[in-house]
PDB file of all heavy atoms in Angstrom:
ATOM      1  N   PHE V 173       5.080 -66.335  -4.856  1.00 97.00           N
ATOM      2  CA  PHE V 173       4.534 -65.157  -5.522  1.00 97.00           C
ATOM      3  C   PHE V 173       3.735 -64.354  -4.499  1.00 97.00           C
ATOM      4  O   PHE V 173       3.520 -64.803  -3.367  1.00 97.00           O
ATOM      5  CB  PHE V 173       3.638 -65.555  -6.706  1.00 97.00           C
ATOM      6  CG  PHE V 173       2.510 -66.484  -6.337  1.00 97.00           C
ATOM      7  CD1 PHE V 173       1.255 -65.986  -6.009  1.00 97.00           C
ATOM      8  CD2 PHE V 173       2.702 -67.868  -6.314  1.00 97.00           C
ATOM      9  CE1 PHE V 173       0.216 -66.847  -5.660  1.00 97.00           C
ATOM     10  CE2 PHE V 173       1.668 -68.729  -5.969  1.00 97.00           C
ATOM     11  CZ  PHE V 173       0.425 -68.215  -5.647  1.00 97.00           C
ATOM     12  N   LEU V 174       3.316 -63.173  -4.884  1.00 97.00           N
ATOM     13  CA  LEU V 174       2.465 -62.356  -4.039  1.00 97.00           C
ATOM     14  C   LEU V 174       1.031 -62.492  -4.530  1.00 97.00           C
ATOM     15  O   LEU V 174       0.753 -62.273  -5.711  1.00 97.00           O
ATOM     16  CB  LEU V 174       2.896 -60.882  -4.089  1.00 97.00           C
ATOM     17  CG  LEU V 174       4.320 -60.563  -3.617  1.00 97.00           C
ATOM     18  CD1 LEU V 174       4.586 -59.070  -3.728  1.00 97.00           C
ATOM     19  CD2 LEU V 174       4.561 -61.050  -2.197  1.00 97.00           C
ATOM     20  N   ARG V 175       0.150 -62.882  -3.635  1.00 95.00           N
ATOM     21  CA  ARG V 175      -1.261 -62.971  -3.998  1.00 95.00           C
ATOM     22  C   ARG V 175      -1.782 -61.585  -4.387  1.00 95.00           C
ATOM     23  O   ARG V 175      -1.125 -60.571  -4.178  1.00 95.00           O
ATOM     24  CB  ARG V 175      -2.077 -63.535  -2.829  1.00 95.00           C
ATOM     25  CG  ARG V 175      -1.888 -65.033  -2.573  1.00 95.00           C
ATOM     26  CD  ARG V 175      -2.960 -65.509  -1.600  1.00 95.00           C
ATOM     27  NE  ARG V 175      -2.976 -66.954  -1.448  1.00 95.00           N
ATOM     28  CZ  ARG V 175      -2.613 -67.597  -0.358  1.00 95.00           C
ATOM     29  NH1 ARG V 175      -2.176 -66.907   0.700  1.00 95.00           N
ATOM     30  NH2 ARG V 175      -2.681 -68.913  -0.284  1.00 95.00           N
ATOM     31  N   GLU V 176      -3.001 -61.555  -4.934  1.00 91.00           N
ATOM     32  CA  GLU V 176      -3.584 -60.295  -5.382  1.00 91.00           C
ATOM     33  C   GLU V 176      -3.672 -59.277  -4.247  1.00 91.00           C
ATOM     34  O   GLU V 176      -3.608 -58.067  -4.466  1.00 91.00           O
ATOM     35  CB  GLU V 176      -4.978 -60.539  -5.973  1.00 91.00           C
ATOM     36  CG  GLU V 176      -4.993 -61.453  -7.201  1.00 91.00           C
ATOM     37  CD  GLU V 176      -4.222 -60.882  -8.381  1.00 91.00           C
ATOM     38  OE1 GLU V 176      -3.959 -59.668  -8.391  1.00 91.00           O
ATOM     39  OE2 GLU V 176      -3.882 -61.661  -9.302  1.00 91.00           O
ATOM     40  N   ASN V 177      -3.819 -59.774  -3.006  1.00 92.00           N
ATOM     41  CA  ASN V 177      -3.906 -58.863  -1.851  1.00 92.00           C
ATOM     42  C   ASN V 177      -2.535 -58.505  -1.291  1.00 92.00           C
ATOM     43  O   ASN V 177      -2.432 -57.856  -0.239  1.00 92.00           O
ATOM     44  CB  ASN V 177      -4.780 -59.480  -0.756  1.00 92.00           C
ATOM     45  CG  ASN V 177      -4.196 -60.788  -0.204  1.00 92.00           C
ATOM     46  OD1 ASN V 177      -3.112 -61.207  -0.602  1.00 92.00           O
ATOM     47  ND2 ASN V 177      -4.913 -61.419   0.719  1.00 92.00           N
ATOM     48  N   GLY V 178      -1.451 -58.956  -1.975  1.00 93.00           N
ATOM     49  CA  GLY V 178      -0.099 -58.631  -1.546  1.00 93.00           C
ATOM     50  C   GLY V 178       0.496 -59.613  -0.563  1.00 93.00           C
ATOM     51  O   GLY V 178       1.656 -59.470  -0.161  1.00 93.00           O
ATOM     52  N   GLU V 179      -0.244 -60.648  -0.178  1.00 96.00           N
ATOM     53  CA  GLU V 179       0.245 -61.641   0.769  1.00 96.00           C
ATOM     54  C   GLU V 179       1.249 -62.570   0.091  1.00 96.00           C
ATOM     55  O   GLU V 179       1.027 -63.045  -1.023  1.00 96.00           O
ATOM     56  CB  GLU V 179      -0.932 -62.452   1.311  1.00 96.00           C
ATOM     57  CG  GLU V 179      -0.533 -63.556   2.283  1.00 96.00           C
ATOM     58  CD  GLU V 179      -1.708 -64.444   2.669  1.00 96.00           C
ATOM     59  OE1 GLU V 179      -2.831 -64.224   2.149  1.00 96.00           O
ATOM     60  OE2 GLU V 179      -1.507 -65.370   3.474  1.00 96.00           O
ATOM     61  N   TYR V 180       2.373 -62.837   0.798  1.00 97.00           N
ATOM     62  CA  TYR V 180       3.390 -63.731   0.250  1.00 97.00           C
ATOM     63  C   TYR V 180       2.903 -65.171   0.299  1.00 97.00           C
ATOM     64  O   TYR V 180       2.370 -65.637   1.305  1.00 97.00           O
ATOM     65  CB  TYR V 180       4.683 -63.612   1.064  1.00 97.00           C
ATOM     66  CG  TYR V 180       5.758 -64.595   0.659  1.00 97.00           C
ATOM     67  CD1 TYR V 180       6.433 -64.470  -0.549  1.00 97.00           C
ATOM     68  CD2 TYR V 180       6.107 -65.658   1.491  1.00 97.00           C
ATOM     69  CE1 TYR V 180       7.431 -65.369  -0.923  1.00 97.00           C
ATOM     70  CE2 TYR V 180       7.103 -66.567   1.130  1.00 97.00           C
ATOM     71  CZ  TYR V 180       7.755 -66.418  -0.073  1.00 97.00           C
ATOM     72  OH  TYR V 180       8.738 -67.312  -0.443  1.00 97.00           O
ATOM     73  N   MET V 181       3.103 -65.887  -0.802  1.00 96.00           N
ATOM     74  CA  MET V 181       2.666 -67.279  -0.897  1.00 96.00           C
ATOM     75  C   MET V 181       3.822 -68.133  -1.395  1.00 96.00           C
ATOM     76  O   MET V 181       4.386 -67.901  -2.469  1.00 96.00           O
ATOM     77  CB  MET V 181       1.487 -67.402  -1.880  1.00 96.00           C
ATOM     78  CG  MET V 181       1.074 -68.827  -2.206  1.00 96.00           C
ATOM     79  SD  MET V 181       0.231 -69.621  -0.824  1.00 96.00           S
ATOM     80  CE  MET V 181      -0.087 -71.259  -1.489  1.00 96.00           C
ATOM     81  N   PHE V 182       4.232 -69.121  -0.573  1.00 97.00           N
ATOM     82  CA  PHE V 182       5.200 -70.130  -0.993  1.00 97.00           C
ATOM     83  C   PHE V 182       4.470 -71.459  -1.023  1.00 97.00           C
ATOM     84  O   PHE V 182       3.890 -71.875  -0.021  1.00 97.00           O
ATOM     85  CB  PHE V 182       6.387 -70.183  -0.033  1.00 97.00           C
ATOM     86  CG  PHE V 182       7.348 -71.306  -0.322  1.00 97.00           C
ATOM     87  CD1 PHE V 182       7.917 -71.463  -1.580  1.00 97.00           C
ATOM     88  CD2 PHE V 182       7.694 -72.221   0.677  1.00 97.00           C
ATOM     89  CE1 PHE V 182       8.794 -72.506  -1.850  1.00 97.00           C
ATOM     90  CE2 PHE V 182       8.577 -73.267   0.420  1.00 97.00           C
ATOM     91  CZ  PHE V 182       9.132 -73.407  -0.847  1.00 97.00           C
ATOM     92  N   THR V 183       4.505 -72.135  -2.151  1.00 96.00           N
ATOM     93  CA  THR V 183       3.696 -73.343  -2.327  1.00 96.00           C
ATOM     94  C   THR V 183       4.338 -74.598  -1.761  1.00 96.00           C
ATOM     95  O   THR V 183       3.758 -75.681  -1.867  1.00 96.00           O
ATOM     96  CB  THR V 183       3.386 -73.559  -3.818  1.00 96.00           C
ATOM     97  OG1 THR V 183       4.623 -73.688  -4.543  1.00 96.00           O
ATOM     98  CG2 THR V 183       2.588 -72.390  -4.380  1.00 96.00           C
ATOM     99  N   GLY V 184       5.517 -74.470  -1.160  1.00 93.00           N
ATOM    100  CA  GLY V 184       6.153 -75.616  -0.522  1.00 93.00           C
ATOM    101  C   GLY V 184       7.268 -76.227  -1.354  1.00 93.00           C
ATOM    102  O   GLY V 184       7.338 -76.041  -2.572  1.00 93.00           O
ATOM    103  N   GLU V 185       8.141 -76.952  -0.664  1.00 89.00           N
ATOM    104  CA  GLU V 185       9.272 -77.590  -1.342  1.00 89.00           C
ATOM    105  C   GLU V 185       8.786 -78.656  -2.318  1.00 89.00           C
ATOM    106  O   GLU V 185       7.787 -79.334  -2.067  1.00 89.00           O
ATOM    107  CB  GLU V 185      10.192 -78.250  -0.314  1.00 89.00           C
ATOM    108  CG  GLU V 185      10.824 -77.282   0.688  1.00 89.00           C
ATOM    109  CD  GLU V 185      11.932 -76.457   0.076  1.00 89.00           C
ATOM    110  OE1 GLU V 185      12.406 -76.819  -1.030  1.00 89.00           O
ATOM    111  OE2 GLU V 185      12.336 -75.464   0.713  1.00 89.00           O
ATOM    112  N   LYS V 186       9.489 -78.788  -3.425  1.00 89.00           N
ATOM    113  CA  LYS V 186       9.194 -79.887  -4.346  1.00 89.00           C
ATOM    114  C   LYS V 186      10.363 -80.853  -4.348  1.00 89.00           C
ATOM    115  O   LYS V 186      11.503 -80.479  -4.085  1.00 89.00           O
ATOM    116  CB  LYS V 186       8.931 -79.363  -5.758  1.00 89.00           C
ATOM    117  CG  LYS V 186      10.096 -78.699  -6.451  1.00 89.00           C
ATOM    118  CD  LYS V 186       9.705 -78.351  -7.880  1.00 89.00           C
ATOM    119  CE  LYS V 186      10.857 -77.685  -8.627  1.00 89.00           C
ATOM    120  NZ  LYS V 186      11.132 -76.333  -8.175  1.00 89.00           N
ATOM    121  N   GLU V 187      10.072 -82.094  -4.635  1.00 89.00           N
ATOM    122  CA  GLU V 187      11.117 -83.112  -4.643  1.00 89.00           C
ATOM    123  C   GLU V 187      12.041 -82.920  -5.834  1.00 89.00           C
ATOM    124  O   GLU V 187      11.622 -82.472  -6.905  1.00 89.00           O
ATOM    125  CB  GLU V 187      10.485 -84.506  -4.700  1.00 89.00           C
ATOM    126  CG  GLU V 187       9.723 -84.897  -3.443  1.00 89.00           C
ATOM    127  CD  GLU V 187       9.213 -86.329  -3.507  1.00 89.00           C
ATOM    128  OE1 GLU V 187       9.496 -87.008  -4.524  1.00 89.00           O
ATOM    129  OE2 GLU V 187       8.545 -86.765  -2.552  1.00 89.00           O
ATOM    130  N   LEU V 188      13.318 -83.259  -5.620  1.00 90.00           N
ATOM    131  CA  LEU V 188      14.263 -83.224  -6.731  1.00 90.00           C
ATOM    132  C   LEU V 188      13.863 -84.266  -7.771  1.00 90.00           C
ATOM    133  O   LEU V 188      13.320 -85.319  -7.434  1.00 90.00           O
ATOM    134  CB  LEU V 188      15.674 -83.525  -6.231  1.00 90.00           C
ATOM    135  CG  LEU V 188      16.298 -82.494  -5.282  1.00 90.00           C
ATOM    136  CD1 LEU V 188      17.617 -83.023  -4.741  1.00 90.00           C
ATOM    137  CD2 LEU V 188      16.512 -81.166  -5.988  1.00 90.00           C
ATOM    138  N   MET V 189      14.134 -83.961  -9.004  1.00 90.00           N
ATOM    139  CA  MET V 189      13.826 -84.909 -10.067  1.00 90.00           C
ATOM    140  C   MET V 189      14.703 -86.159  -9.947  1.00 90.00           C
ATOM    141  O   MET V 189      15.870 -86.070  -9.571  1.00 90.00           O
ATOM    142  CB  MET V 189      14.021 -84.257 -11.437  1.00 90.00           C
ATOM    143  CG  MET V 189      12.882 -83.352 -11.841  1.00 90.00           C
ATOM    144  SD  MET V 189      13.017 -82.792 -13.559  1.00 90.00           S
ATOM    145  CE  MET V 189      14.115 -81.409 -13.355  1.00 90.00           C
ATOM    146  N   THR V 190      14.126 -87.287 -10.265  1.00 91.00           N
ATOM    147  CA  THR V 190      14.879 -88.538 -10.267  1.00 91.00           C
ATOM    148  C   THR V 190      15.769 -88.601 -11.510  1.00 91.00           C
ATOM    149  O   THR V 190      15.622 -87.805 -12.443  1.00 91.00           O
ATOM    150  CB  THR V 190      13.932 -89.743 -10.275  1.00 91.00           C
ATOM    151  OG1 THR V 190      13.188 -89.728 -11.515  1.00 91.00           O
ATOM    152  CG2 THR V 190      12.958 -89.688  -9.110  1.00 91.00           C
ATOM    153  N   VAL V 191      16.680 -89.551 -11.513  1.00 91.00           N
ATOM    154  CA  VAL V 191      17.536 -89.744 -12.684  1.00 91.00           C
ATOM    155  C   VAL V 191      16.686 -90.007 -13.918  1.00 91.00           C
ATOM    156  O   VAL V 191      16.948 -89.480 -15.011  1.00 91.00           O
ATOM    157  CB  VAL V 191      18.516 -90.916 -12.452  1.00 91.00           C
ATOM    158  CG1 VAL V 191      19.263 -91.249 -13.744  1.00 91.00           C
ATOM    159  CG2 VAL V 191      19.494 -90.578 -11.343  1.00 91.00           C
ATOM    160  N   GLU V 192      15.640 -90.819 -13.744  1.00 92.00           N
ATOM    161  CA  GLU V 192      14.758 -91.141 -14.878  1.00 92.00           C
ATOM    162  C   GLU V 192      14.063 -89.888 -15.406  1.00 92.00           C
ATOM    163  O   GLU V 192      13.923 -89.698 -16.620  1.00 92.00           O
ATOM    164  CB  GLU V 192      13.717 -92.178 -14.452  1.00 92.00           C
ATOM    165  CG  GLU V 192      14.268 -93.569 -14.165  1.00 92.00           C
ATOM    166  CD  GLU V 192      15.054 -93.646 -12.867  1.00 92.00           C
ATOM    167  OE1 GLU V 192      14.791 -92.802 -11.965  1.00 92.00           O
ATOM    168  OE2 GLU V 192      15.920 -94.529 -12.750  1.00 92.00           O
ATOM    169  N   GLU V 193      13.641 -89.013 -14.497  1.00 92.00           N
ATOM    170  CA  GLU V 193      12.986 -87.779 -14.915  1.00 92.00           C
ATOM    171  C   GLU V 193      13.966 -86.838 -15.611  1.00 92.00           C
ATOM    172  O   GLU V 193      13.627 -86.207 -16.621  1.00 92.00           O
ATOM    173  CB  GLU V 193      12.368 -87.075 -13.702  1.00 92.00           C
ATOM    174  CG  GLU V 193      11.131 -87.787 -13.164  1.00 92.00           C
ATOM    175  CD  GLU V 193      10.610 -87.142 -11.892  1.00 92.00           C
ATOM    176  OE1 GLU V 193      11.432 -86.787 -11.009  1.00 92.00           O
ATOM    177  OE2 GLU V 193       9.383 -87.000 -11.770  1.00 92.00           O
TER     178      GLU V 193
END
Side-chain angles (χ1 to χ4, degrees):
F173 56 93
L174 299 180
R175 287 192 172 111
E176 298 297 342
N177 63 3
E179 178 187 2
Y180 174 71
M181 172 72 181
F182 174 55
T183 59
E185 298 286 345
K186 65 175 180 289
E187 292 185 2
L188 294 173
M189 282 189 276
T190 64
V191 172
E192 291 73 25
E193 288 175 317

